[in-house]
């Protein structure tokens, strides 16, 4: 084995060891800081207080048929939302992303 091959083997081993140590240290910090208990992606997470859902204004029924009456009701809500979007004067400005226009309540 030439010197170049030995160096490549050493660098490969060193990078694996370094990546393993960095992962262990970061997971240890994550666990010791208590952030592991706040992670929302973990199954069984229970929030401290009930969350408000304001973003969903119309939804189809989970159980039920979709007939012409349901579709007409949906289109009525859709046209109402479309009208409010068409009234925006400058759609590519920062105004459409403001907390008020997105329906996010202000923290007081």
């Amino acid at each position: 084995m030439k010197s170049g091959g030995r160096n490549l083997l050493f660098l490969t081993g060193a990078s694996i060891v370094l990546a393993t140590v960095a992962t262990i240290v970061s997971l240890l910090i994550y666990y010791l800081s208590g952030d592991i208990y706040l992670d929302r992606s973990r199954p069984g997470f229970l929030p401290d207080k009930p969350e408000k859902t304001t973003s969903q204004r119309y939804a189809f029924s989970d159980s039920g048929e979709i007939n012409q009456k349901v579709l007409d009701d949906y289109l009525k809500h859709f046209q109402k939302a479309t009208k409010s979007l068409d009234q925006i004067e400058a759609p590519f400005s920062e105004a459409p992303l403001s907390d008020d226009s997105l329906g996010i309540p202000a923290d007081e």
Side-chain angles (χ1 to χ4, degrees), residues 20-42:
T20 304
V21 169
T23 302
I24 290 171
V25 168
S26 65
L27 286 174
L28 186 62
I29 291 171
Y30 181 61
Y31 177 75
L32 293 177
S33 69
D35 288 342
I36 192 169
Y37 300 110
L38 300 175
D39 192 355
R40 292 178 174 263
S41 64
R42 293 175 49 119

Side-chain angles (χ1 to χ4, degrees), residues 84-98 101:
S84 69
L85 291 175
D86 289 339
Q87 293 175 355
I88 297 174
E89 293 177 14
F92 294 104
S93 69
E94 62 186 32
L97 295 177
S98 69
S101 71

Side-chain angles (χ1 to χ4, degrees), residues 36-106:
I36 192 169
Y37 300 110
L38 300 175
D39 192 355
R40 292 178 174 263
S41 64
R42 293 175 49 119
F45 172 77
L46 298 174
D48 293 336
K49 56 186 176 183
E51 297 179 1
K52 299 175 185 174
T53 56
T54 58
S55 62
Q56 189 175 12
R57 295 188 178 149
Y58 184 84
F60 287 109
S61 172
D62 292 339
S63 60
E65 61 184 52
I66 296 179
N67 53 25
Q68 192 61 41
K69 181 182 176 197
V70 173
L71 290 175
D72 290 340
D73 186 42
Y74 172 76
L75 288 175
K76 181 180 80 172
H77 284 85
F78 182 76
Q79 290 169 352
K80 181 179 174 185
T82 304
K83 283 181 185 177
S84 69
L85 291 175
D86 289 339
Q87 293 175 355
I88 297 174
E89 293 177 14
F92 294 104
S93 69
E94 62 186 32
L97 295 177
S98 69
D99 289 346
D100 188 40
S101 71
L102 293 176
I104 299 172

